Amino acid sequence: HLIRCLLNAAQTQRAVSLLRAMTGIHGSKVSPSPSGDTRGNPGLGAFDEGFLADVIATLAASNDCALAPALFGDLRVVKPKLRLDGVTARKLMGWGDTRKNM
């Protein structure tokens, strides 16, 4: 994935922008999807939850860690079943608004 390459090259803002563009997730324009259904957003369906959780974990451990909570919150609106590992979830809970229930 290009997104992984960008993250590995410490191009976190570019990686997040690309992921948002590819999935159609644009902050305030995010609308919920019933039961995690991605049919209304075919770009989001191209990414499995493991990959998305890995992106959030990588962001949370990076110098641009502040990007992680907003991206996770937006992803959870359209993919409510998205879960994080315990370490990443605790990091994000420390930052505040992650839209609950990691």
Side-chain angles (χ1 to χ4, degrees), residues 3-85:
I3 294 168
R4 282 193 202 275
C5 291
L6 289 169
L7 290 172
N8 290 336
Q11 297 291 318
T12 52
Q13 291 181 336
R14 286 185 178 177
V16 170
S17 294
L18 179 62
L19 181 61
R20 285 180 176 279
M22 293 175 74
T23 59
I25 295 173
H26 303 290
S28 63
K29 296 180 183 177
V30 177
S31 58
S33 175
S35 305
D37 183 7
T38 58
R39 286 177 289 186
N41 186 343
L44 188 58
F47 298 98
D48 70 16
E49 292 181 7
F51 171 75
L52 295 172
D54 186 49
V55 168
I56 299 297
T58 302
L59 286 171
S62 75
N63 290 335
D64 281 332
C65 56
L67 296 171
L71 180 61
F72 179 66
D74 290 346
L75 286 170
R76 284 293 301 273
V77 169
V78 294
K79 261 191 142 13
K81 296 179 182 180
L82 179 61
R83 298 288 183 254
L84 301 176
D85 64 86

